Amino acid sequence: MTTPHPVPPHQVVALDLRGRTALVTGAGSGIGRSVAGRLAAAGARVVAVDRDAEPLESLADDTGAVPVVADLSDLDRAEEALEGHWDVDVLVNNAGIQHVAPLDEFPAERFAYIQTVMVEAPFRLVRRVLPHMYSAGWGRIVNISSVHGLRASPFKAAYVTAKHALEGLSKTVALEGAPHGVTANCVNPAYVRTPLVEGQIRAQAATHGIPESEVVEKIMLTSAAIKRLIEPEEVAELVAYLCTDAAGFITGTSVAIDGGWTAH
Ligand code: NAP
């Protein structure tokens, strides 16, 4: 039985980012798009990174975000594309992809690609934005991890590995950043209603040999106590809270927004 969807509360966090710059990866779609919009609504100048120009243009039209087209799997070129944009006060490492396959069939190059986009790219960006944050004495790094940064699921070896690695990076940044007023945290959602999940529904149906209609209820919602998908705006609101001064003591941790999944 799924839980009925309430209208998610929008923008309840009092966040003032006027005068600050926020860089959001994967900002063209899903969670990243909501986060970019939320931080722009808080007054931030948003640098929106994605690999396709078109979704960034519509985001720029909607929010005033500065679009930067960069493929984060090409680490050096992505850094080049971001040259001139490193004076960042809030970094949201969000871009991510999924590949669903049993381990003994998992393509090795796909495994490596996922580590590049979801672990190495966040490391590269953190490394480049910390000097500005350190000199400002303030910074917020929010890593969009997953419930799969805390728990494993079958057939998602690359994704689970990458998200667990991101958790380690995030904790290390928290320790090094603390004396400089920089916090680093992970946000850990269960299934959010985004294009990435819509793709997974198709892939899981094929892998498990069941109709797509059964994937959400019988696979995606089995572990969560609250039986509904999360809306991207709910994740964006949690990110907004972590960017407040009120959240300045929250660092090096992982904040689950998972409907009780990790209570098991
Ligand atoms: P999404 O709708 O697919 O959005 C991700 C965005 O990142 C897309 O615009 C994607 O571009 C972009 N991207 C992917 N690879 C990139 C690359 N190499 N360089 C630059 N941009 C790239 O996904 P989402 O569901 O919002 O997921 C966002 C983050 O939340 C991911 O890290 C994901 O692991 C995490 N998360 C999602 C869920 C969920 O249920 N949706 C749950 C837990 C955690 P393309 O469209 O071209 O691929």
Side-chain angles (χ1 to χ4, degrees), residues 15-23 39 42 44 86-91 129-142 177-184 239-249:
L15 175 65
D16 184 356
L17 290 179
R18 284 173 294 177
R20 306 260 191 219
T21 296
L23 192 159
L39 300 182
W86 296 122
D87 285 355
V88 166
D89 305 291
V90 174
L91 169 64
V129 302
L130 280 179
H132 171 80
M133 293 182 180
Y134 285 180
S135 66
W138 191 93
R140 295 285 183 267
I141 294 177
V142 182
H180 306 278
V182 175
T183 68
V239 173
Y241 174 64
L242 291 172
C243 293
T244 61
D245 287 333
F249 206 69

Side-chain angles (χ1 to χ4, degrees), residues 25-32 49-52 55 70-73 93-97 113 117-118 144-147 159 163 187-197 200:
T25 68
S29 173
I31 295 169
V49 180
D50 212 299
R51 59 181 163 187
D52 294 321
D71 184 340
L72 296 169
S73 70
N93 281 312
N94 166 78
I97 47 167
Y113 179 89
V117 173
M118 293 167 59
I144 307 301
S145 178
S146 164
V147 73
Y159 187 90
K163 291 300 191 189
V187 165
N188 300 70
Y191 287 99
V192 185
R193 190 191 305 280
T194 70
L196 181 139
V197 160
Q200 276 187 62

Side-chain angles (χ1 to χ4, degrees), residues 54-134:
E54 190 276 323
L56 288 182
E57 280 157 19
S58 73
L59 177 72
D61 290 344
D62 292 347
T63 67
V66 178
V68 176
V69 177
D71 184 340
L72 296 169
S73 70
D74 190 338
L75 299 167
D76 292 335
R77 286 190 66 185
E79 283 201 49
E80 280 165 31
L82 278 161
E83 223 38 79
H85 293 290
W86 296 122
D87 285 355
V88 166
D89 305 291
V90 174
L91 169 64
V92 182
N93 281 312
N94 166 78
I97 47 167
Q98 180 60 275
H99 188 93
V100 179
L103 264 166
D104 53 350
E105 294 170 14
F106 211 100
E109 66 284 358
R110 197 69 183 152
F111 187 95
Y113 179 89
I114 286 176
Q115 310 314 308
T116 303
V117 173
M118 293 167 59
V119 182
E120 289 196 68
F123 160 71
R124 294 282 194 113
L125 299 191
V126 163
R127 200 167 65 116
R128 296 302 296 268
V129 302
L130 280 179
H132 171 80
M133 293 182 180
Y134 285 180

